[in-house]
Amino acid sequence: MSGPLHGVTVIELAGIGPGPFAGMMLADMGARVIRVDRIPTPGGGSALEALMRNDSVVDRGRESIALNMKDPRAVDTVLRLVEKADILIEGFRPGVTEKLGVGPQACMARNPKLIYGRMTGWGQSGPLSQAAGHDLNYIALSGAVHAMGPADRPPTVPLNLVGDYGGGGMLLALGVVAALYEARQSGQGQVVDAAISDGAAVLMAAQYGLQAKGFWHNERASNFLDGSAHFYGTYACADGGYLSVGAIEPQFYRLLLEICGLVDAHFAQQWERAEWPALREKLAAMFLSKTRDEWSALLEGTDACVAPVLSMAEAPWHPHNRARGTFVTQGGAVQPAPAPRFERTPSELPPVAPAIGRDSRKWLRLLGRSDAEIEALVAAGVVHEASD
């Protein structure tokens, strides 16, 4: 593997959502990520187990050791792994890893320089810290959900990008890398408390800043970035496709009007909020006169700030995405390529997700276990190795 994190070793205690995404980000950037998986239930187990099972995209780039963490010998194996690691990431409720015997105190006793990354919804402290929840709940508390959607209907339920991935996994990845940088100067590890509710609030920094200046209204669909402004939103076209329009700056707005042949003086009132509904209706009627691709041929690539709204089936084949290699195909799955791009230490696409327990035997040997000991652990159900 290459990439700027080449030489960094990460232990990932398997979970769902933001933790695996953080592991993907670190693996994409060249880190060696060893995932400690649960032993699969014979026959497939529950729907939750199916959800937690390997995802060919998000779980790429890992090595997998599968352990029964209820057994002290499995706990000892994880602690031995920790001795060789720079970072550990986990996504359990506060206190769970302590009960398992692999909490921060136990791990950092083995490796004082360890960065211990904790990914939760509500954080390690606070009155909600022990409560269950999911992405939507966490971002609801940040003010983000209230700001999304039409004014006359309930807030829009967004994909779990704002919470799980942007405010969660990405935040955790940044946090552990920043802490690792500091540890290499101080010689001391530390715990990184990454909460989705905190991260979603951070992602709302610009909106809170605009609100403080009086430029953002608390009412949904009354602001220039929430779809109420005619110059910033999506429009239906004649074929049922959609265009995204983002002509915020006056010069870009003027160019949009010019290319579209809009000479109506009414459009000069770009920033008059009271005029936005009527101006949006006029633009909506105009965009319905051509297909999405006809409008794209006219506007895409100009400073009018217009782009087609592509489906996930279409996006990988757009000329810009193809030219940059934004998407790749691996293991039969079309997927995003690693990002961002590094000039001197470029990342490579990590290998496909491993079968659960594929690397169990290899890592037990690396940790000093004899073949006889390994066979005994497998036979006792402490360790699982992939059958394929």
Side-chain angles (χ1 to χ4, degrees):
M1 288 297 296
S2 60
L5 293 183
H6 178 72
V8 173
T9 300
V10 179
I11 307 301
E12 176 189 349
L13 303 185
I16 60 174
F21 184 74
M24 186 198 82
M25 292 293 298
L26 298 171
D28 282 0
M29 294 186 187
R32 184 179 202 178
V33 182
I34 305 152
R35 192 181 61 217
V36 179
D37 281 307
R38 299 179 184 183
I39 293 179
T41 302
S46 67
L48 179 60
E49 285 186 79
L51 182 65
M52 293 181 66
R53 216 169 288 132
N54 279 17
D55 178 285
S56 61
V57 178
V58 176
D59 288 327
R60 67 194 184 195
R62 313 297 211 277
E63 296 176 55
S64 171
I65 178 171
L67 301 170
N68 175 8
M69 291 300 293
K70 294 179 180 179
D71 191 292
R73 291 168 290 181
V75 173
D76 178 66
T77 299
V78 172
L79 294 176
R80 292 190 188 198
L81 285 170
V82 162
E83 293 174 1
K84 299 179 177 294
D86 300 289
I87 296 167
L88 180 146
I89 59 175
E90 57 95 355
F92 299 100
R93 288 198 211 189
V96 170
T97 57
E98 284 86 347
K99 291 178 182 177
L100 290 173
V102 291
Q105 187 173 359
C107 288
M108 295 172 81
R110 295 287 189 102
N111 182 354
K113 295 182 181 180
L114 182 73
I115 305 304
Y116 196 103
R118 315 197 79 167
M119 182 78 260
T120 59
W122 304 116
Q124 298 297 312
S125 61
L128 294 176
S129 61
Q130 290 295 329
H134 279 295
D135 176 281
L136 183 62
N137 309 124
Y138 309 136
I139 68 174
L141 216 65
S142 71
V145 176
H146 182 273
M148 300 178 190
D152 59 348
R153 291 194 289 274
T156 295
V157 178
L159 296 178
N160 62 333
L161 304 180
V162 177
D164 277 353
Y165 299 132
M170 194 86 68
L171 186 78
L172 176 63
L174 172 63
V176 295
V177 169
L180 180 62
Y181 174 79
E182 191 280 336
R184 291 191 168 177
Q185 299 174 79
S186 69
Q188 300 178 62
Q190 61 179 307
V191 174
V192 177
D193 176 2
I196 297 173
S197 55
D198 294 343
V202 169
L203 293 177
M204 289 288 288
Q207 282 68 38
Y208 277 103
L210 289 169
Q211 183 183 65
K213 294 192 292 185
F215 293 152
W216 192 270
H217 299 266
N218 198 46
E219 296 78 15
R220 195 161 47 256
S222 63
N223 301 284
F224 73 99
L225 289 177
D226 60 13
S228 58
H230 61 292
F231 53 82
Y232 196 86
T234 57
Y235 288 92
C237 302
D239 59 344
Y242 291 86
L243 284 179
S244 67
V245 176
I248 298 174
E249 293 84 353
Q251 68 273 27
F252 301 155
Y253 180 69
R254 286 194 299 270
L255 183 61
L256 172 69
L257 301 179
E258 178 185 328
I259 295 175
C260 293
L262 291 169
V263 294
D264 188 338
H266 191 191
F267 282 100
Q269 302 181 71
Q270 180 184 0
W271 288 95
E272 293 294 330
R273 292 175 186 265
E275 302 301 322
W276 287 355
L279 291 170
R280 173 170 277 280
E281 286 185 11
K282 291 184 177 182
L283 281 184
M286 181 195 72
F287 284 122
L288 280 171
S289 67
K290 298 179 187 295
T291 67
R292 184 195 70 180
D293 290 346
E294 287 172 335
W295 283 117
S296 294
L298 184 65
L299 293 162
E300 191 178 7
T302 74
D303 282 355
C305 302
V306 174
V309 176
L310 303 179
S311 69
M312 290 172 61
E314 294 175 303
W317 313 113
H318 187 277
H320 181 79
N321 290 336
R322 293 184 70 179
R324 283 186 58 80
T326 302
F327 294 89
V328 294
T329 300
Q330 180 174 245
V334 176
Q335 57 195 276
R341 315 291 175 86
F342 296 90
E343 178 189 14
R344 234 178 2 89
T345 57
S347 299
E348 295 176 354
L349 180 66
V352 296
I356 291 175
R358 183 196 66 186
D359 305 290
S360 295
R361 189 175 292 271
K362 177 185 76 175
W363 272 103
L364 289 170
R365 287 194 183 115
L366 289 172
L367 295 174
R369 301 284 192 186
S370 68
D371 286 345
E373 288 175 311
I374 294 171
E375 294 299 338
L377 290 170
V378 171
V382 177
V383 176
H384 168 81
E385 59 176 341
S387 58
D388 57 349

